[in-house]
Amino acid sequence: MDSFEYVSAPHRVVFGRGTLQELPSMLEKIKVKAVLILCTPQQVSTAEEVKAIIGDTGIAIFSEATMHTPTHITDKAVLVAQEKGVDGIVSVGGGSTVGLGKALSIRTGLPHLCIPTTYAGSEMTPILGETENGRKVTRRDPRILPTAVLYDVELFKTLPVTMTVYSGINAIAHAVEALYATNRNPIIDLLAYEGIRTLCIALPLLQADGNDPAARQQALYGAWLCGMCLGAVDMALHHKLCHTLGGMFNLPHAETHVVLLPHALAYNATAPAAAGAMVKLAAALPEAEGDPVRGINALYQRLGIDLSLKGLGMSEGGVDEACDVAIANPYKNPRVLEREGIRELIRRAWAGEAAK
Ligand code: NAD
């Protein structure tokens, strides 16, 4: 085994069913007495549920969380936090709401407790992407990592089955790229393997029955592990492409991950630097029979996934445009970025062809 560095995230996590009831004691542990609750306009009722549980500690709800964390929304939230004199933040929602919580926390220094309701994994990372004048800038800072995380499976009952599947694949993508990250390590390998394996069991069960409580719990556990992978090591081609295409063509986050993952994986699968990762990945994917691309294609078939970049609204002309941007700034990836190969990858994803 090679030498390695492992940086663990020193934050508190509670996981289970009905754990929302433990919110008052968690807030006590992080010494927060007056909370601003964050959510999207679509999840106000969940935020109200949170407020009811914490009683007088819940000072106000700010319900303007938006995709890509626009700074003008954070400016508004900062003003509300100051006006109300809160000493802590609770974000309840998906990656968009967690993003607002992180942005508000780093600006104000207030402790941030996250209650995730999707599998995107942002709550486990010290990463924040913010948008100003249409430009998204992403940074990493240990102070961005939330102070505490409360996972309650019950909050996932309202997540529609298609979003469950897409968000679960989004989580799997973090673990796939962690396996071949240049700064990977054996601890993260374990989390990645277990995260993928668990989600591959849970997602087909949830697709058959979105109310299956054991499968929901398994999916959330797997997503937690995958989120830790995203937070701990560097991502490569797949995440860079999602970021580039998502920004250029305003594509939805989880769906873009779903479309690109098999193609980015197929591109990297033959790279000698990814050989060990592919063995581990094939072992985690059912039906892979030693071939991870076959494994991911089989998973998609089982889940009935039929998405394309074209279907998400990207024009055909965007293929070359996206390719130019994707190869313009070099980044760490197990296989060298070759124009022809990257263009073909994006073209296949655009047309909705199977990865190979
Ligand atoms: P999202 O947070 O935008 O949520 C999508 C929609 O689903 C919203 O309307 C939301 O209110 C609704 N929703 C969420 N949970 C629900 C539930 N349980 N029941 C019913 N409706 C629910 O989507 P997302 O995919 O979770 O997050 C995407 C955003 O997160 C992107 O901006 C992405 O860049 C960011 N992200 C950041 C990181 C990071 O580490 N910084 C990691 C992953 C994602």
Side-chain angles (χ1 to χ4, degrees), residues 40 42-43 94-96 117-118 120 122 125 127 136 155 158-159 253:
T40 60
Q42 294 79 23
Q43 286 184 284
S96 299
T117 63
T118 69
S122 179
T125 82
I127 305 165
K136 191 165 181 177
L155 297 174
T158 50
L159 193 65
H253 176 80

Side-chain angles (χ1 to χ4, degrees), residues 40-43 46 66-69 93-99 102 117-129 136 138 155-160 163 167 170 174 230 253-254:
T40 60
Q42 294 79 23
Q43 286 184 284
T46 311
T66 313
M67 251 281 254
H68 306 307
T69 325
S96 299
T97 308
V98 174
K102 287 173 161 179
T117 63
T118 69
Y119 304 126
S122 179
E123 68 282 356
M124 284 294 139
T125 82
I127 305 165
L128 171 63
K136 191 165 181 177
T138 300
L155 297 174
F156 288 73
K157 278 183 180 164
T158 50
L159 193 65
M163 185 60 186
S167 192
N170 181 189
H174 307 327
L230 174 69
H253 176 80

Side-chain angles (χ1 to χ4, degrees), residues 264-280:
L265 173 62
Y267 183 86
N268 281 334
T270 53
M278 293 306 146
V279 172
K280 288 177 189 139

